[in-house]
Amino acid sequence: MAYDKFTILRSSAVPMPNENVDTDQIIPARFLKATERKGFGDNLFRDWRYNNDDTPKADFVLNNPTYSSEGSPRKILVGGKNFGSGSSREHAAWAIYDYGFRCVVSSFFADIFQANSINVGILPVRVSPEFLEKIFAAIEADPTTELEVNLPAQTITLLATGESESFAINEYKKHNLTNGYDDIDYLLSMKEEIGAYAETRPF
Amino acid sequence: MSTPTTLFDKVWDAHVIRQVKDGPDVLFIDRHFIHEVTSPVAFLGLEGRGATVLFPERTFATADHNTPTLNQHLPVADPMSANQLAALERNAAHYGISHWGLGHIKNGIVHVVGPENGITLPGMTIVCGDSHTSTHGAFGAIAFGIGTSEVEMVLATQCIMQPKPKKMRITVNGKPGKAVLPKDVILYIISQTSASGATGYFVEYAGEVFENMSMEGRMTVCNMTIEMGARGGMIAPDQTTLDYLKGRELSPKGEQWNKLVPYWLSLKTDEGATFDLDLTFDAADIEPQITYGTNPGLGTGVTHQIPTADSVKDGSASYKKSLQYMGFAENESMIGKPVDFVFLGSCTNGRIEDFRAFASIVKGRQKADNITAWLVPGSHIVEKQIQEEGILDVLTQAGFELRQPGCSACLAMNEDKVPAGKYAVSTSNRNFEGRQGPGARTLLASPLVAAAAAVTGVVTDPRGLMENA
């Protein structure tokens, strides 16, 4: 699956300080019935975002004009600790990508969500709890404040103050994200080696 | 003398085909389970690449997430569900993958049918596009959930690329008290470690509680390991494992079985092997559990009060939001809370032992009038056992009905949805907001606690109903 190459991203952000945002909230199970990967962004955070009659809930952050930039959707979602816990459904990452986010920032990600994100072209940036608090405070003080996520340099910066923190990412995964490659391309080049190994399995 | 290694290392290292420099390991996958929800897009991806399924005989397909639990002989009413089920059938047929669709005698929940048919074996690597794949770790396999891109990856190459997780050992010694089931053991552990306490780790369970546990119980424990954030959980194979596997339809037979047994029994953590984290609990501290919040870590003993916000590890804002969603308050007692629905089933507690436990409480009693009960076996094989063992008669006499196998109300992708605002005591694995239907409120518990609620209509300590048992 091709996705946008990721290098340097500069954008204002949407704050979602809730902890343990689980994949059932990101995309409820009843929206997993599609057989094609499209349209999931409309149902991102469906039950937090809409009333039962499909009218938007005014107090939900994605519906708040303070955190939307008309004409240029915000590309960074800043979440609380343990973002993406729960199901392995990649639909959660698809919904985030389809909505327009390219980066999720948190102090802690659930494992499978983190792997799924990278596999679909979203960069999960893990920052310290202190830096996360700084980001939330900066957005609260000025909702238009911009963040810069620099994948080659592995840094995230609050542009208004210049405060910055570096983040970790596996070199291989970084290479894939910056070039728009995926693991399957890599593994397909190893087919003979895989076949030879399979011969040795006892079951 | 070689370096002492862990069970996890032994199985993982045996499957590494290549280590990518500064990157993940290329891990060979012995068994791949697929179902209708997370596979269609993977097959589309495969097609788009012009790739094919490398080893179709290593993949097994079953329909479970979407399937109705009534009238399975009729066409599936929901067109989108029917479409997904048809896609699975079509893809399986096209690529030569074994498919146990609706109506097939072996159909059922993927994590129930894998073990009961002997597909899951010790020492294997097993993946599936479902987080509760960790269930299969009960056999001493490394089993974990993957995303759809990885499903495509395994179909195309029989490998995935994963960094090796850190290792954690959780030891529980002692004897569990009355009415304490494996579900209570794992709910207790999660409540002590939190919903993110094992993120980045792979867990090995050790100690006499797990040594004495049945395979069904071990599956329940490994199933919910994901709920503390772990990649998966596993338990070393032993005689209990062999007894369970012997004679299962797809288990190795004869000479092959005899050759594998010594290998399987060698899969245990060596004396002196180290873990990144070692936790120990005492079985005596565990009583029947129940959750009160919106993640599986927010649980407590059934006779306890709901903790106050300042006593929980996670942020108090999230905690308060969670109680607000549930309609509960700090310091309230869980006993006596009204219940509307009871769900027995899911890949966590849809096995025969769970139905035996449930029946032990409802026998000679009647379903409470205010309760809607969904009793859903994990597979047709479990359904058959329920009938053959006379459990169905006990359930029927108590006013309950048995439904047909599937994931059902665990994630409410089919018609079995708990209505908004209603309370469900559920033997499934997640109590997230809306998990059992938009606005539904889920209290996770064991089959005994579920049965006690089903006959009394409120949250009840099952021990009080077991006096003469």
Side-chain angles (χ1 to χ4, degrees):
Chain A
M1 175 55 210
Y3 49 79
D4 300 348
K5 295 176 186 182
F6 198 113
T7 48
I8 296 172
L9 176 69
R10 186 183 279 209
S11 170
S12 47
V14 173
M16 195 172 286
N18 316 47
E19 298 193 345
N20 302 312
V21 171
D22 61 72
T23 47
D24 280 54
Q25 307 322 311
I26 299 172
I27 186 95
R30 61 190 186 281
F31 299 111
L32 308 186
K33 295 190 182 189
T35 49
E36 289 177 80
R37 188 188 146 173
K38 58 182 185 194
F40 288 99
D42 291 343
N43 294 313
L44 175 67
F45 294 112
R46 182 77 201 189
D47 293 338
W48 286 356
R49 194 168 145 198
Y50 293 99
N51 295 304
N52 288 342
D53 62 359
D54 289 341
T55 54
K57 289 183 183 174
D59 60 353
F60 183 61
V61 67
L62 292 186
N63 300 326
N64 185 341
T66 308
Y67 300 108
S68 67
S69 315
E70 204 59 38
S72 69
R74 298 188 173 201
K75 292 185 180 313
I76 300 174
L77 177 64
V78 187
K81 184 186 164 194
N82 199 26
F83 191 91
S85 60
S87 163
S88 63
R89 61 182 74 156
E90 197 168 286
H91 310 66
W94 299 342
I96 289 171
Y97 187 92
D98 191 46
Y99 184 85
F101 292 114
R102 292 293 175 269
C103 173
V104 183
V105 179
S106 176
S107 59
F108 201 89
F109 290 99
D111 278 341
I112 303 179
F113 176 80
Q114 181 164 293
N116 284 344
S117 294
I118 295 181
N119 283 338
V120 307
I122 299 166
L123 176 63
V125 172
R126 183 176 173 174
V127 297
S128 67
E130 297 73 29
F131 198 70
L132 187 69
E133 283 314 310
K134 272 185 194 163
I135 296 172
F136 282 132
I139 299 172
E140 196 172 338
D142 174 9
T144 67
T145 194
E146 286 196 314
L147 292 166
E148 185 183 275
V149 179
N150 185 326
L151 179 58
Q154 295 179 219
T155 55
I156 175 166
T157 308
L158 270 166
L159 287 177
T161 61
E163 284 171 286
S164 185
E165 197 171 88
S166 56
F167 61 87
I169 183 169
N170 182 293
E171 276 300 318
Y172 167 85
K173 290 289 183 188
K174 178 174 164 180
H175 180 76
N176 274 359
L177 266 176
T178 47
N179 291 289
Y181 295 158
D182 71 17
D183 289 347
I184 304 180
D185 300 330
Y186 181 91
L187 290 172
L188 283 171
S189 73
M190 286 180 60
K191 256 187 172 172
E192 275 187 30
E193 205 175 333
I194 295 168
Y197 176 86
E199 292 288 315
T200 69
R201 295 305 297 150
F203 30 61
Chain B
M1 186 76 193
S2 57
T3 321
T5 51
T6 67
L7 163 64
F8 176 77
D9 288 323
K10 285 176 188 178
V11 180
W12 181 279
D13 295 349
H15 288 84
V16 176
I17 299 188
R18 187 189 282 182
Q19 283 176 311
V20 179
K21 191 175 176 298
D22 300 320
D25 289 346
V26 175
L27 202 66
F28 185 80
I29 299 303
D30 292 309
R31 291 286 183 272
H32 182 203
F33 293 109
I34 59 173
H35 58 85
E36 74 276 18
V37 176
T38 58
S39 68
V41 172
F43 281 107
L44 278 184
L46 209 60
E47 216 171 285
R49 263 174 222 277
T52 191
V53 178
L54 187 58
F55 295 117
E57 68 280 11
R58 291 184 178 274
T59 295
F60 295 81
T62 186
D64 56 7
H65 280 59
N66 261 328
T67 55
T69 55
L70 294 174
N71 297 317
Q72 290 187 350
H73 62 290
L74 298 177
V76 173
D78 179 341
M80 292 191 81
S81 295
N83 189 33
Q84 277 196 333
L85 295 166
L88 183 70
E89 186 173 4
R90 201 171 53 240
N91 287 323
H94 180 72
Y95 291 102
I97 293 167
S98 150
H99 173 241
W100 298 343
L102 213 49
H104 194 289
I105 180 63
K106 290 191 174 14
N107 175 253
I109 305 175
V110 58
H111 310 308
V112 176
V113 300
E116 78 184 359
N117 287 289
I119 302 170
T120 299
L121 299 174
M124 281 184 165
T125 45
I126 300 172
V127 295
C128 171
D130 185 279
S131 59
H132 293 104
T133 309
S134 59
T135 311
H136 307 268
F139 292 80
I142 289 181
F144 52 89
I146 56 176
T148 296
S149 297
E150 292 168 317
V151 172
E152 183 186 337
M153 200 179 299
V154 178
L155 290 170
T157 70
Q158 205 58 41
C159 289
I160 59 166
M161 304 191 66
Q162 293 280 308
K164 195 174 181 180
K166 290 184 286 183
K167 288 164 287 185
M168 181 190 295
R169 177 166 55 192
I170 295 179
T171 306
V172 187
N173 284 317
K175 294 262 181 297
K178 188 174 177 181
V180 171
L181 297 186
K183 178 62 161 280
D184 300 302
V185 174
I186 187 63
L187 280 174
Y188 175 80
I189 292 171
I190 301 166
S191 75
Q192 299 299 303
T193 49
S194 91
S196 60
T199 302
Y201 291 93
F202 212 96
V203 174
E204 177 180 346
Y205 294 99
E208 57 180 312
V209 165
F210 305 109
E211 285 161 14
N212 296 331
M213 206 177 258
S214 68
M215 284 314 298
E216 281 89 350
R218 292 177 188 183
M219 283 188 253
T220 301
V221 167
C222 289
N223 174 283
M224 286 199 69
T225 305
I226 184 76
E227 306 309 335
M228 51 183 151
R231 243 4 208 128
M234 66 198 304
I235 296 174
D238 60 7
Q239 193 58 43
T240 303
T241 322
L242 300 180
D243 292 346
Y244 180 95
L245 287 173
K246 188 144 197 174
R248 302 254 161 200
E249 188 160 330
L250 298 172
S251 285
K253 308 269 184 320
E255 193 50 36
Q256 202 201 359
W257 171 271
N258 293 337
K259 253 166 60 184
L260 283 166
V261 165
Y263 166 62
W264 287 341
L265 293 177
S266 76
L267 294 173
K268 53 183 178 223
T269 293
D270 300 328
E271 194 78 42
T274 55
F275 290 81
D276 300 288
L277 192 59
D278 236 319
L279 300 178
T280 303
F281 300 101
D282 185 348
D285 293 336
I286 308 174
E287 70 160 343
Q289 302 282 304
I290 194 149
T291 64
Y292 53 81
T294 56
N295 74 57
L298 299 176
T300 186
V302 68
T303 62
H304 291 199
Q305 293 174 319
I306 295 170
T308 54
D310 53 20
S311 68
V312 295
K313 282 183 215 153
D314 288 349
S316 69
S318 299
Y319 183 75
K320 284 178 176 162
K321 180 175 182 293
S322 169
L323 290 188
Q324 191 182 19
Y325 178 86
M326 293 300 292
F328 294 158
E330 297 169 51
N331 283 324
E332 281 183 341
S333 168
M334 287 306 291
I335 292 285
K337 289 273 183 211
V339 177
D340 307 293
F341 286 76
V342 167
F343 173 53
L344 175 66
S346 84
C347 58
T348 313
N349 284 112
R351 300 186 178 78
I352 187 63
E353 271 192 12
D354 304 312
F355 282 84
R356 288 181 193 143
F358 190 89
S360 74
I361 295 268
V362 306
K363 189 174 185 175
R365 296 191 169 93
Q366 283 296 306
K367 183 183 81 65
D369 289 340
N370 61 312
I371 294 288
T372 302
W374 291 327
L375 313 185
V376 186
S379 69
H380 283 299
I381 291 177
V382 173
E383 184 182 36
K384 196 157 159 270
Q385 284 174 298
I386 291 169
Q387 289 160 359
E388 286 171 358
E389 293 186 15
I391 294 172
L392 181 60
D393 297 333
V394 172
L395 298 175
T396 309
Q397 280 159 21
F400 296 94
E401 286 167 33
L402 194 66
R403 296 170 87 93
Q404 291 172 295
C407 296
S408 181
C410 176
L411 81 168
M413 278 194 77
N414 67 357
E415 298 309 308
D416 305 342
K417 290 178 175 59
V418 176
K422 298 292 183 190
Y423 290 95
V425 170
S426 177
T427 62
S428 54
N429 40 55
R430 288 190 174 136
N431 50 353
F432 297 151
E433 287 183 28
R435 175 76 179 181
Q436 296 195 276
R441 293 156 159 174
T442 300
L443 287 66
L444 300 175
S446 77
L448 286 176
V449 174
V455 294
T456 62
V458 297
V459 174
T460 300
D461 185 345
R463 289 170 293 194
L465 302 178
M466 293 171 73
E467 245 45 272
N468 304 317

